[in-house]
Amino acid sequence: TARLSYGLQYKSGPTDVALSLSRVRSEGFSAADESDGNTEADGFAANRISASFGHELENGARLEFSGFYETSDGEYDEGFPLQDGTPNETIATGQRGLRAAAIFQTGAVENKIAVTTFDIDRVFADDFGGSSFSGGRTGLSYQGAVDLSDNARLVFGAETTRESYADSFGSSIDRDLDGLFGEVTFAPADSLDLTATLRHDRNSDFGGFKTGRLSLAYRPADKWTIRAVAATGFRAPSPYEQLGPFGAPTLMPEESRSLEFGAEYSDGGLSVQGTMFWLEAENLIDFNLATSTYAQVPGISQRQGIEIEAEAELSPKLSGTFAYTYTDSRTSATSWTVAPRHLATLGLEGDLTDKLTGSLTLQHGADRAALPDYTVVNAMVTYDLGRGTEAYLRAENLFDEDYQLVNGYGTAGQSFYVGLRKSF
């Protein structure tokens, strides 16, 4: 695998410009896990260019323009279950995006108007003669913001998007998405922040939906913060999920409800936070392996759990991190059950010498449906060569763990990366 990238940022007075170029190419490994008898390597290559331009006018208004173009070629495996099959499955992808925006003030109101467009084309070659898919989004949005008082602020806006899809099987669709939203932030005291958001969306195929979000952040003491969030949401099926080769035209939108409650403690070199979460989705859209199609999961699907994160300064030159997530998503037979019930990550980072730094991370996933536990260790050392130049050596899956994140799909074995970074 080889990666090369270059980035440039330039600012002169009211004008700023940024440019980035990147290239990656990899011989790859089998997309279908080698431990299941698949030996064909599936490679990948991509080129990307992105640029942005900003200019502030004499009246204080700011104009922004940005865009990107990316092409990629890759190899993949097919089948249910996934397997090498034949060595001629390839995909060529082209993506393009543009954005133009104006930011200006009218009285007490801060305004932002943006126009965006995005297109993607994918061409597959396989034993069945190949297929092609194209999609695009073109949108216009407005966002305004105004201070209602010293401790209250209103953000509001509207947006409209035209979404399109077409494939070589003769399916095509144009869909209009319109939205209105408003958000109020209110700080009745220095120790309390409240936020309320309300949104209305209209989908030309599925009608209107209202969603909302309430959040609270309370600081009972200097070192403590208490957080709580309640929200509702919806997601309409994508055109591919409805009309693609594995699609189901009768799919309906998902509707969800979620709750979070957490606390954070921070004291100098020690930071600890914990969060309890709960998510309930109705009409969850999932991929049914038995029928090889997208399908609506009947009834209610639930996911709940806790997250704990900690960061500590162990010495002036060494710090440690710890993260643990418990996820219970066994209430329905969906792809949610791929996530391990227990996921823990332990990390160390510090200065080995004045010029050499190192890091070590260990991640362990346990209690997964139909998949065994796994432990992966990664390490990295970075050497400062001076004058904005760094050399690094990174090792991933240091002990060559044989594991899967998704049933049937392979992951990289023991991997080493050497690189050079230069800033000037």
Side-chain angles (χ1 to χ4, degrees), residues 14 16 53-57 60-65 100-104:
D16 56 86
F53 170 82
H55 181 75
E56 187 171 318
L57 304 177
R62 177 175 169 81
L63 301 178
E64 295 179 343
F65 302 92
I103 304 171
F104 56 95

Side-chain angles (χ1 to χ4, degrees), residues 278-299:
W278 172 85
L279 172 64
E280 182 180 83
E282 188 174 358
N283 293 326
L284 180 69
I285 299 171
D286 202 16
F287 193 80
N288 189 323
L289 290 176
T291 61
S292 299
T293 61
Y294 288 96
Q296 214 96 50
V297 178

Side-chain angles (χ1 to χ4, degrees), residues 334-353:
T334 72
S335 58
W336 285 1
T337 59
V338 172
R341 188 182 289 259
H342 306 280
L343 181 64
T345 303
L346 184 65
L348 292 172
E349 183 175 358
D351 296 330
L352 304 177
T353 68

Side-chain angles (χ1 to χ4, degrees), residues 121-365:
D121 298 300
R122 295 175 294 162
V123 178
F124 291 81
D126 52 38
D127 292 333
F128 304 100
S131 55
S132 63
F133 303 86
S134 63
R137 289 192 185 96
T138 300
L140 172 65
S141 65
Y142 167 78
Q143 178 178 297
V146 59
D147 291 327
L148 303 177
S149 65
D150 291 340
N151 57 358
R153 183 173 176 83
L154 170 66
V155 177
F156 57 95
E159 57 190 21
T160 181
T161 304
R162 167 63 63 92
E163 188 178 68
S164 62
Y165 167 86
D167 62 37
S168 57
F169 300 98
S171 298
S172 64
I173 190 174
D174 289 319
R175 179 179 292 171
D176 294 321
L177 312 171
D178 303 311
L180 296 170
F181 66 91
E183 179 179 271
V184 175
T185 56
F186 177 52
D190 291 341
S191 60
L192 180 63
D193 296 317
L194 302 173
T195 303
T197 304
L198 183 64
R199 182 180 178 95
H200 177 80
D201 288 280
R202 186 193 69 85
N203 187 299
S204 60
D205 288 338
F206 298 102
F209 294 84
K210 291 183 177 65
T211 55
R213 185 175 188 270
L214 293 172
S215 64
L216 171 152
Y218 174 56
R219 295 169 292 279
D222 290 341
K223 300 176 183 180
W224 284 94
T225 301
I226 308 297
R227 305 182 309 275
V229 179
T232 62
F234 93 100
R235 185 182 79 85
S238 71
Y240 182 81
E241 290 171 331
Q242 282 190 289
L243 303 177
F246 309 105
T250 58
L251 289 176
M252 298 298 293
E254 301 174 350
E255 297 185 48
S256 64
R257 295 157 291 279
S258 62
L259 295 172
E260 288 186 14
F261 179 79
E264 179 178 346
Y265 174 84
S266 181
D267 182 17
L270 175 65
S271 175
V272 180
Q273 58 181 353
T275 303
M276 295 185 294
F277 61 89
W278 172 85
L279 172 64
E280 182 180 83
E282 188 174 358
N283 293 326
L284 180 69
I285 299 171
D286 202 16
F287 193 80
N288 189 323
L289 290 176
T291 61
S292 299
T293 61
Y294 288 96
Q296 214 96 50
V297 178
I300 303 296
S301 302
Q302 289 186 354
R303 169 180 282 181
Q304 55 270 325
I306 60 172
E307 295 178 339
I308 299 172
E309 296 181 23
E311 183 175 356
E313 185 178 295
L314 305 177
S315 73
K317 293 187 177 183
L318 181 65
S319 62
T321 59
F322 172 76
Y324 170 74
T325 302
Y326 170 81
T327 305
D328 179 10
S329 54
R330 308 297 171 86
T331 58
S332 58
T334 72
S335 58
W336 285 1
T337 59
V338 172
R341 188 182 289 259
H342 306 280
L343 181 64
T345 303
L346 184 65
L348 292 172
E349 183 175 358
D351 296 330
L352 304 177
T353 68
D354 291 341
K355 293 181 176 292
L356 188 66
T357 61
S359 64
L360 182 71
T361 61
L362 180 150
Q363 185 177 81
H364 179 70

Side-chain angles (χ1 to χ4, degrees), residues 99-117:
R99 177 182 179 272
I103 304 171
F104 56 95
Q105 188 102 10
T106 54
V109 181
E110 303 167 15
N111 306 277
K112 179 188 289 186
I113 297 176
V115 179
T116 59
T117 180

